[in-house]
Amino acid sequence: MTTVTEKFLSTKKIIVGTLIVCVFGMILVEKFYYYVRDHPCPDDTDGGVANPVPQSLQAANSHGDELRRRLPGALVIGIQKSGTGALLKMLNLHPDVKIALREVHFFDLDENYSRGMEWYRRQMPLSLPNQITIEKTPGYCDSDVTPERVRALNPDMKILVIVREPTTRAISQYVHILTNMQQRGVTYDSFENLAMKDGQVNADYKCIKRSIYVTYMARWLDFFPRNQIHIVNGDTLVSNPTTELKKVETFLGLKSAISRSNFYFNKTRGFYCMTDGTTRACLQRSKGRKHPEVNSTIIEQLHTYFRPYNTKFQELFGQEFNWS
Ligand code: A3P
């Protein structure tokens, strides 16, 4: 009798033990699965892929309807120092928008492009099927290889460009470089000395070149129809963010969700900051830096220099800006 009871008890112990091991095993497997899914490995490569773009983006994106990393449906391609950061952070207020938290440089850097589309996807945030993922890399706008590569990945990609009055943008870029130099203890010449050469505008200075939007933006029209490119007025984004964001919502096919109540003016910063109703946030201090006083004659020369390029840019994109 005792032996039967002992046998029964030991069988029961084995069954209970096995069940516990199975349950723990399943929990561990599940945890491992979610960890791997949610933690992309930035240094993973897909092994020198010659053409990282699949036949069909649809197929590439059809892994089910759950929370997962999706390729971007829209790109902010520039223009550096025009308010690209503000635009992205403000769009992030929208419930149907997910933003990549860093500039990925997938299309413009061969090293990243050769890592392949799966690598690119792994750099994206988790999103739901009704959400659009947006990535911002201002280096895309004037990269020769980028428009073609973007089209190869997704011919329906929505292209967002933010522009700003070109002379102010050039000074902003100068301040950006100057600050970086100062942080490294390196001296950097004055804006006047760099922007001018023998009394003429120095067309070779990178801050000047980047402000000639038409030179590189025209190329995007060879790869994307005009209605797939939306140009945000960076000066209006500063003075009246809601107006510009409403237009972007329409362009991206999003419901209207960002409103005046999402912004409050911060006197100390001199810019609008954001709120979702519970938390408040301004952009980081590197956005909205003080500009140096630039000689007014040079400013006038720069306006005159940029004017014909501005006219061409506005004609090409059929949009007017209130630039000097
Ligand atoms: P400045 O620092 O010259 O004022 P980017 O993000 O492309 O680098 O652009 C930086 C610029 O964004 C800033 O240039 C600033 O003028 C502009 N900007 C637009 N809206 C802003 C905001 N709400 N807060 C801070 N900067 C903003």
Side-chain angles (χ1 to χ4, degrees), residues 243-269:
T243 314
E244 284 304 310
L245 287 161
K246 288 270 157 243
K247 292 181 201 162
V248 179
E249 282 179 335
T250 307
F251 170 71
L252 295 177
L254 295 168
K255 65 182 180 220
S256 173
I258 305 173
S259 71
R260 220 167 260 277
S261 64
N262 289 119
F263 302 101
Y264 66 95
F265 192 76
N266 182 308
K267 274 194 192 154
T268 322
R269 295 295 304 272

Side-chain angles (χ1 to χ4, degrees), residues 4-250:
V4 173
T5 315
E6 275 171 4
K7 263 191 183 167
F8 173 73
L9 284 175
S10 75
T11 314
K12 201 177 152 192
K13 271 185 198 161
I14 290 168
I15 291 170
V16 171
T18 313
L19 272 174
I20 290 170
V21 168
C22 283
V23 168
F24 270 111
M26 278 160 70
I27 291 171
L28 280 176
V29 167
E30 196 195 6
K31 287 228 179 293
F32 181 69
Y33 165 76
Y34 283 111
Y35 181 84
V36 169
R37 194 195 68 175
D38 295 347
H39 292 76
C41 178
D43 290 321
D44 257 5
T45 67
D46 292 324
V49 191
N51 177 11
V53 177
Q55 290 295 310
S56 155
L57 182 73
Q58 227 73 41
N61 257 342
S62 62
H63 294 305
D65 276 2
E66 82 287 24
L67 190 67
R68 61 184 185 80
R69 299 181 195 284
R70 291 173 168 81
L71 288 166
L75 294 176
V76 176
I77 62 163
I79 287 151
Q80 184 196 14
K81 305 317 293 176
S82 294
T84 55
L87 176 63
L88 194 71
K89 289 277 163 62
M90 288 171 179
L91 280 172
N92 200 32
L93 289 163
H94 199 290
D96 298 340
V97 167
K98 295 299 281 187
I99 59 163
L101 291 177
R102 67 179 186 95
E103 294 174 8
V104 181
H105 285 278
F106 176 64
F107 300 102
D108 58 334
L109 298 185
D110 289 346
E111 189 198 340
N112 288 337
Y113 191 66
S114 66
R115 288 172 156 164
M117 191 203 68
E118 280 306 319
W119 177 86
Y120 187 40
R121 189 206 303 278
R122 285 198 295 272
Q123 313 314 306
M124 295 303 134
L126 293 170
S127 66
L128 291 165
N130 62 317
Q131 293 176 317
I132 182 169
T133 300
I134 307 181
E135 192 246 325
K136 162 188 97 96
T137 296
Y140 289 158
C141 66
D142 60 351
S143 139
D144 285 346
V145 289
T146 295
E148 193 170 3
R149 286 177 175 179
V150 174
R151 188 178 64 182
L153 179 75
N154 180 7
D156 298 324
M157 186 76 85
K158 292 186 167 151
I159 311 293
L160 285 163
V161 194
I162 177 162
V163 293
R164 177 184 191 181
E165 192 282 304
T167 302
T168 319
R169 197 219 65 83
I171 298 171
S172 176
Q173 189 179 351
Y174 163 81
V175 175
H176 179 74
I177 301 169
L178 176 73
T179 313
N180 287 343
M181 294 286 193
Q182 284 170 341
Q183 279 164 359
R184 286 190 281 138
V186 180
T187 50
Y188 196 52
D189 213 340
S190 67
F191 178 76
E192 282 92 338
N193 285 349
L194 292 163
M196 305 301 288
K197 202 174 170 186
D198 306 324
Q200 302 293 311
V201 171
N202 179 4
D204 292 329
Y205 182 43
K206 60 181 167 187
C207 297
I208 301 294
K209 275 197 195 165
R210 188 60 65 91
S211 278
I212 306 176
Y213 309 140
V214 70
T215 51
Y216 48 89
M217 279 310 300
R219 225 177 112 65
W220 284 85
L221 288 174
D222 295 338
F223 294 89
F224 290 93
R226 174 66 188 89
N227 64 5
Q228 242 169 276
I229 303 175
H230 180 77
I231 302 180
V232 177
N233 186 330
D235 301 304
T236 312
L237 193 80
V238 170
S239 58
N240 187 354
T242 322
T243 314
E244 284 304 310
L245 287 161
K246 288 270 157 243
K247 292 181 201 162
V248 179
E249 282 179 335
T250 307

